[in-house]
Amino acid sequence: EGLASIPTLNGGGRHGHIGLIIQDAEYTAFSNNGEPYEIFDNPGPYPAHVDATDAVLRERQVAEHKGEVKEYEMQLGAASWTRKAIIAAIDEEWLSEIKNQHVGYNHLMPLDILTHLESIGGTLDFMDVTELQAELLKPWDQVEAPTTLFEQQDKIEKQLVKAGIPSQEHLRLATALCWFQQSGEFDNALEVWEAKPAASKTLSAFRVFIQREFAKRTKRDKQTAKGAGRGLANKVTAEEEAELNAMAMLEFVNAVTAQNNAQMEKMMELFKSSLSELSNKQPGVSPNTTFTHQKCPHCKLRHPNPDGCWELEKNAAKRPKNWKPAAERKKKSEGEKVKSE
């Protein structure tokens, strides 16, 4: 969610930088065959071509280049934050094979790291599946909003589906009905639910239904507490009511999202910090990279090991999935120049 919320025109501009962590085919699928998400090359400190005679055209070319630099730096910052988040979330020994002694992991995009982890991590074993199954059917605690509960279940079920366990909509609905019945707080509401036609009693419909009932109960409880003399602190404010209605609406549009403001603020702080670090460095150069390395004769980029360059066929097995040869990058750059002219 964090990457998807960072604005960019890349990939059609509708999904932020989520393309940093998913494969091209998956991105194309959920963007309805829209524009692909690209990994940008460093556009350099100056435009590759400016018109020498037409001042208006030259100004536009300079402005376009500034936009390219901004997009590149934004992507670089998003990738840096994501890379740090991935590394912080796992035991670093899983990444020892791809760590560079000079630049650490800064030579890799987030998707490269995730692809590596998938290749060595294997699949879920029977213990993993059993634990996830138990977590999926974990009883409701009668405190958190149903929206949050169902979102957690969705995430667990996605993992189970990847492990070959089919979706369990009927079981999830049955257990949810049991939990809310046992709470004793929704007896009247569940009678209304039972009276509905069988065809309309689906899990997705119940999610909307029970979230609305939860919102009603929360407002009722606060008003009851106020009436019992517990003070204005228990009054349902307009903000609280709006929040409850918003949660119900999230279920209505089938976009269950448990917002965590603290986590989002932390993510944005890390992201801004990454951009700040990058602004003090030459664009495209890792903070851990020095300028002692000469340009590689094969790819024309700076790195410490020309013999290990991905341009060489002997190193083909080491190439990341999103890697592009220098000739293709150059051709793309020249095509953009012709287009701008």
Side-chain angles (χ1 to χ4, degrees), residues 317-336:
K318 300 179 181 179
R319 296 169 181 167
K321 290 188 177 181
N322 60 350
W323 176 82
K324 295 179 181 179
E328 185 176 336
R329 296 198 303 271
K330 181 179 180 181
K331 182 178 179 182
K332 177 182 176 182
S333 177
E334 292 174 348
E336 291 175 347

Side-chain angles (χ1 to χ4, degrees), residues 296-308:
C296 172
H298 311 298
C299 66
K300 309 305 179 185
L301 300 175
R302 296 178 185 273
H303 61 84
N305 185 15
D307 190 55

Side-chain angles (χ1 to χ4, degrees), residues 97-116:
E97 295 180 13
I98 58 174
K99 185 175 183 179
N100 184 280
Q101 61 177 333
H102 301 288
V103 298
Y105 306 102
N106 289 308
H107 62 303
L108 299 169
M109 295 301 285
L111 185 56
D112 299 330
I113 299 176
L114 293 176
T115 301
H116 170 74

Side-chain angles (χ1 to χ4, degrees), residues 166-187:
S167 178
Q168 304 173 72
E169 180 173 333
H170 295 297
L171 179 60
R172 286 180 61 185
L173 175 59
T175 52
L177 285 167
C178 179
W179 299 331
F180 290 105
Q181 181 70 58
Q182 289 178 348
S183 73
E185 298 286 342
F186 301 94
D187 292 347

